[in-house]
Amino acid sequence: MSDAINYERVGDIAVLAANNPPVNALGLAVRQGLQAGIERAEAEGAKAVLIYGTGRTYFAGADIREFGKPPRAPWLPDLCARIEASPLLVVSALHGTALGGGLEVALSSHYRIAVPSAKVGLPEVHLGILPGAGGTQRLPRVAGVEAALDLITSGRHIGSAEALKLGVIDKVEEGEPREIGLAYAQELLDSGAPRRAVGEMPAPAAVDFDAVYDKVLKKGRGQLSPAVAVRAVQAACEAESFEAGMKRERELFMELMNTDQRQGLIHAFFSERAVSKLPELKGIEPRPLEAIAVIGGGTMGAGIATAALLAGLNVTLLEMNDDAAAAAKGRIEGNLQGALKRGKISAEQFDALTNQALTMATDYEALSEVDLVIEAVFEDMEVKKQVFKKLDIVCKPGAILASNTSYLDVNEIAACTSRPEDVIGLHFFSPAHVMKLLEVVVADRTAIDVVATGFDLGKRLRKISVRAGVCDGFIGNRILATYRTAADHMVLDGASPFQIDKAMTAFGFAMGPFAVSDLAGLDIGWAVRKRKRAEGMDPRARDSSYADKLCEGGNFGQKTGKGYYVYGEDKRSASPNPEVMELIEAERAEKGITPREFSDEEIVRKYMAAMVNEAAKVVGEGIARRPLDVDMTLLFGYGFPRYNGGPLKWADIVGLPDLLADIKRYAEEDDYFWQPAPLLEQLVAEGRTFDDLNKEAS
Ligand code: 3HC
Ligand code: NAI
């Protein structure tokens, strides 16, 4: 018997307790143990079997680390069939999260009981696959087709109350899973309850599966797994037998298992967890964090304050004067109203957050006791320095002084204080109470426990925190600046902004780069271009000025109703702004450029090559520690499609030699912009991938 499953006999009941921390994933040893346990229970004359998990959860699913490796028997679908076929009464007692293969084992049991806090779900589509151990065949039989389609295509987790209502579980009871499971199994034996195999239940009635498939495919914005899962549920209704439905599920499961999307999504799953685990932070205690201050309550300051309040921190917000403070308070209240409307907080919590946890201030003395200050004033070095000099005077020793700057040099900001070791960049994304990404920007002299506190804050605010080094734009904005420039070059050469947006949304981005600029405000890019020109651009760099002309005309994008697109009242209906093409054509004529046709495929390759090349430089220079840090930055801050894993995972999948060859070809026309990243050249020369670097670093 494997150690992963402990066998115990309690009267007529054989108890199989899973012991595979942390989440009782159904790896080989667990599957072997369950199979052996069922066989032993039958051989020893038990009348019932209880399956439960020790530790924090029932089985949270198949062992994802086994995916992509040769499968080893017993396979999960066969194990589920074996459990279901047992002549004994099989009961599962659920706690924690019964997910994926875990719920499939539970559905193969004849009865299911759960503690009130248990959650169940079939989240496989988020990993690019579908439930592959009977979930698509058994769930519709117990919960009906509509509920099964909802749960399987959304992958959402549901609580025990909803699971009970849907018939996914039979009973909810307070207590330890072992105790409630034993009592329930005994009760079933005493009452002579029959063995109840879901696979033997009649097939559910079919719905219009083609219509559901089309709807789900569209909603997936390029992600295949939810739509393919619809076809598997269809087989539950339409296949000749349960076994035939299982066969169809397996075919579709294997089809998805072999996709690049599966690789991308699983990379995202593990990277999301690895990204904030830095070896240098092991054992480092973060500084205490109870009360924080935010300087500047504009778009970002108000969003950061909202996020902190929602995480239970006390916030003092400092603005320039009473009017600005009142406006900032209004913004925060507006954000919290949104949380109230969505049921995330109650009316009492709203009152407590706005009246007690939040303090508005205009005097720096109010900041003397806070543990951390996040500056979010205008993006101007002189203004920032003035703020940090004042903070240096008033803040208590050990208080952390952070800047939310997008591009400015955090070392220079730190140097204007007497305590550079306490200074760090905490770069949030707009809207800061919604966007998941936080770049923790570590300056040359930042103390290690200040870094640890940055990550601790990110965790408390439920952000994905990524470590970044200091450079112009850190990880995300630096890479953005490069691929955005590649897009501008393509526009000068003949593509339209609208074609580029269309090609990149078809690739899977939530929005195209020009629509994003309209959303962020065209004045931001304008200011950056002006700054770069003032600093002196390399004469070989291609510059373009058509977007400046849009700004000069007072068109800053969504906020003025017009930018690359013209917006309706609701901001949703947008149509291309015809003036844009006129400005572009004028600039092409002025520069003597004869426009040429671009295919969508060429646009994607060039745009992605620029992104990957800059990302490789960012990793090569140590601004990002690992390729996965870049991948998570683009995924959580820049709308990169999760099913492609991130730009560097995508690069591995399409092949680094091909990408490097593209870059070298582009360099024949513009060898200033297209300078291959040394790291990319090195990896190609050594026949290695970015993921090899991730593995070496873990
Ligand atoms: N396989 C392997 N490792 C897993 C795992 C799994 N199914 N689920 C979680 N882990 C690992 C995590 O990688 C993490 O490892 P680390 O400590 O080395 O980083 C550790 O377990 C703890 O996980 P979390 O940090 O995510 O812990 P939380 O408490 O925050 O969340 C959870 C727990 C809700 C179970 C979450 O881990 C989760 O959602 N897991 C994935 C569940 C899932 O997708 N199951 C379906 C799998 S596919 C399947 O079953 C196919 C079948 O149909 C054939
Ligand atoms: P904003 O213009 O909306 O807000 C700035 C606020 O700071 C204003 O309310 C202003 O009254 C206040 N302020 C200015 N000087 C001050 C001072 N000396 N003391 C106190 N308050 C002062 O600007 P936004 O967009 O919120 O940006 C703030 C910072 O965040 C900038 O550094 C910006 O680069 C950065 N950032 C902006 C993002 C965005 O998408 N808008 C994203 C990430 C970072």
Side-chain angles (χ1 to χ4, degrees):
M1 174 76 56
S2 110
D3 288 346
I5 297 289
N6 182 55
Y7 184 94
E8 179 198 3
R9 198 53 197 274
V10 181
D12 287 332
I13 306 166
V15 180
L16 308 187
N19 178 28
N20 186 27
V23 297
N24 284 321
L26 286 149
L28 178 65
V30 177
R31 298 197 304 274
Q32 284 171 338
L34 282 172
Q35 173 132 331
I38 293 280
E39 280 164 6
R40 181 168 164 191
E42 289 169 5
E44 288 186 356
K47 291 192 178 141
V49 177
L50 168 66
I51 302 174
Y52 80 98
T54 60
R56 60 199 238 208
T57 185
Y58 186 77
F59 311 104
D63 189 336
I64 304 170
R65 285 166 306 201
E66 288 182 353
F67 292 0
K69 297 181 187 156
R72 292 175 62 187
W75 293 3
L76 198 53
D78 296 341
L79 173 66
C80 288
R82 179 69 186 82
I83 292 171
E84 186 172 73
S86 177
L88 311 183
L89 210 62
V90 185
V91 175
S92 271
L94 280 44
H95 79 297
T97 41
L99 300 175
L103 182 58
E104 290 174 305
V105 169
L107 287 168
S108 312
S109 308
H110 304 137
Y111 292 91
R112 291 162 290 283
I113 185 168
V115 300
S117 59
K119 288 208 154 78
V120 307
L122 292 173
E124 283 89 341
V125 293
H126 296 312
L127 301 172
I129 53 172
L130 50 76
T136 64
Q137 306 302 299
R138 291 192 178 91
L139 188 64
R141 282 177 162 81
V142 298
V145 170
E146 213 174 300
L149 281 170
D150 166 34
L151 292 181
I152 291 169
T153 62
S154 71
R156 73 186 174 95
H157 304 175
I158 57 171
S160 57
E162 191 177 350
L164 183 68
K165 211 165 122 208
L166 290 174
V168 179
I169 52 177
D170 304 296
K171 196 168 179 177
V172 178
E173 196 131 319
E174 287 281 0
E176 291 300 316
R178 181 178 184 280
E179 310 319 320
I180 61 168
L182 276 172
Y184 188 40
Q186 193 59 54
E187 181 190 314
L188 289 165
L189 285 178
D190 292 347
S191 65
R195 183 185 150 276
R196 196 188 53 171
V198 176
E200 292 165 18
M201 291 178 181
V207 297
D208 182 352
F209 281 105
D210 287 347
V212 179
Y213 177 88
D214 289 345
K215 201 169 126 211
V216 172
L217 188 64
K218 195 158 167 237
K219 200 167 160 216
R221 284 220 307 257
Q223 190 181 331
L224 297 172
S225 49
V228 176
V230 171
R231 295 302 187 203
V233 176
Q234 182 170 9
C237 304
E238 296 176 358
E240 273 175 18
S241 62
F242 179 76
E243 288 68 31
M246 286 296 294
K247 192 160 163 264
R248 182 74 183 130
E249 178 192 85
R250 178 104 309 238
E251 282 165 10
L252 294 168
F253 177 83
M254 290 314 296
E255 205 176 273
L256 287 175
M257 193 56 109
N258 290 327
T259 58
D260 293 343
Q261 291 198 359
R262 191 271 299 168
Q263 282 194 54
L265 286 163
I266 286 180
H267 172 75
F269 177 86
F270 285 117
S271 301
E272 199 179 326
R273 286 160 175 79
V275 71
S276 40
K277 283 189 191 140
L278 299 182
E280 74 250 39
L281 294 186
K282 246 195 181 149
I284 305 288
E285 270 296 306
R287 295 187 188 174
L289 213 52
E290 294 298 329
I292 73 161
V294 178
I295 318 279
T299 312
M300 291 309 290
I304 295 166
T306 306
L309 289 167
L310 287 171
L313 292 160
N314 287 326
V315 178
T316 303
L317 194 137
L318 186 132
E319 257 292 350
M320 294 199 283
N321 52 48
D322 289 342
D323 286 349
K329 186 163 192 203
R331 276 182 211 110
I332 297 169
E333 283 174 350
N335 292 341
L336 290 172
Q337 287 281 2
L340 179 63
K341 255 192 227 149
R342 286 192 304 278
K344 295 210 160 158
I345 51 170
S346 65
E348 293 79 51
Q349 282 169 309
F350 177 86
D351 284 343
L353 292 182
T354 49
N355 294 325
Q356 288 159 28
L358 174 66
T359 310
M360 303 305 295
T362 52
D363 185 345
Y364 277 76
E365 281 308 318
L367 312 183
S368 59
E369 287 308 312
V370 297
D371 304 308
L372 164 82
V373 184
I374 302 171
E375 164 280 309
V377 303
F378 304 132
E379 183 78 342
D380 179 309
M381 186 53 102
E382 283 320 305
V383 180
K384 302 236 187 236
K385 280 184 177 171
Q386 279 170 22
V387 170
F388 274 78
K389 281 179 188 160
K390 286 190 200 151
L391 292 174
D392 195 18
I393 296 168
V394 299
C395 288
K396 67 183 180 189
I400 295 172
L401 312 182
S403 173
N404 181 48
T405 178
S406 305
Y407 289 93
L408 300 176
D409 184 345
V410 184
N411 284 319
E412 194 178 334
I413 296 174
C416 81
T417 72
S418 65
R419 36 173 133 176
E421 65 283 1
D422 294 338
V423 177
I424 192 165
L426 290 176
H427 184 218
F428 290 82
F429 288 73
S430 179
H433 57 298
V434 176
M435 292 293 285
K436 295 284 278 178
L437 183 65
L438 173 64
E439 280 182 313
V440 177
V441 184
V442 180
D444 292 349
R445 295 182 61 187
T446 310
I448 190 73
D449 62 340
V450 171
V451 181
T453 316
F455 277 90
D456 183 43
L457 177 74
K459 198 168 165 196
R460 288 168 71 168
L461 302 187
R462 305 235 195 117
K463 304 283 181 205
I464 300 289
S465 307
V466 181
R467 183 200 187 280
V470 176
C471 67
D472 199 352
F474 316 123
I475 299 178
N477 281 348
R478 170 169 161 183
I479 297 171
L480 163 72
T482 302
Y483 64 78
R484 189 62 178 70
T485 302
D488 280 332
H489 291 174
M490 286 191 274
V491 167
L492 284 180
D493 292 337
S496 82
F498 316 112
Q499 187 194 1
I500 294 176
D501 274 1
K502 204 168 108 293
M504 295 323 297
T505 46
F507 175 82
F509 275 92
M511 290 169 94
F514 297 93
V516 167
S517 296
D518 269 2
L519 178 68
L522 300 186
D523 44 328
I524 295 183
W526 193 25
V528 173
R529 288 192 297 279
K530 283 195 275 196
R531 173 168 65 87
K532 293 217 160 139
R533 285 174 199 143
E535 286 167 4
M537 283 171 67
D538 191 291
R540 293 168 297 171
R542 295 178 75 187
D543 196 7
S544 66
S545 61
Y546 69 93
D548 302 344
K549 300 212 167 65
L550 269 179
C551 295
E552 284 160 16
N555 300 310
F556 294 141
Q558 285 200 14
K559 61 186 166 192
T560 59
K562 209 199 263 183
Y564 291 103
Y565 296 85
V566 181
Y567 295 87
E569 287 282 297
D570 58 358
K571 308 254 189 250
R572 287 200 174 169
S573 49
S575 53
N577 176 0
E579 290 161 32
V580 170
M581 287 317 296
E582 285 168 25
L583 293 172
I584 291 167
E585 276 155 22
E587 187 168 359
R588 284 176 190 152
E590 192 191 308
K591 290 192 153 79
I593 297 169
T594 310
R596 67 174 181 86
E597 292 264 320
F598 277 80
S599 68
D600 288 358
E601 194 198 341
E602 188 181 358
I603 288 172
V604 169
R605 276 206 86 91
K606 215 163 189 179
Y607 191 87
M608 289 304 299
M611 190 185 300
V612 170
N613 199 38
E614 192 65 27
K617 290 178 188 172
V618 162
V619 176
E621 291 167 24
I623 298 298
R625 282 277 170 80
R626 302 155 296 183
L628 69 86
D629 293 320
V630 170
D631 285 345
M632 294 306 100
T633 301
L634 270 291
L635 230 60
F636 289 100
Y638 296 83
F640 191 93
R642 187 178 171 96
Y643 56 74
N644 283 324
L648 295 180
K649 181 67 190 177
W650 176 87
D652 279 349
I653 291 172
V654 300
L656 303 189
D658 282 358
L659 265 168
L660 182 60
D662 278 356
I663 291 166
K664 288 189 169 160
R665 201 157 34 81
Y666 303 146
E668 286 166 15
E669 283 177 18
D670 179 354
D671 63 359
Y672 177 70
F673 183 77
W674 292 103
Q675 297 178 37
L679 178 63
L680 182 58
E681 294 197 296
Q682 186 194 333
L683 288 175
V684 170
E686 293 170 356
R688 293 196 302 153
T689 63
F690 287 110
D691 219 17
D692 290 335
L693 299 181
N694 288 327
K695 290 191 184 111
E696 282 164 22
S698 67

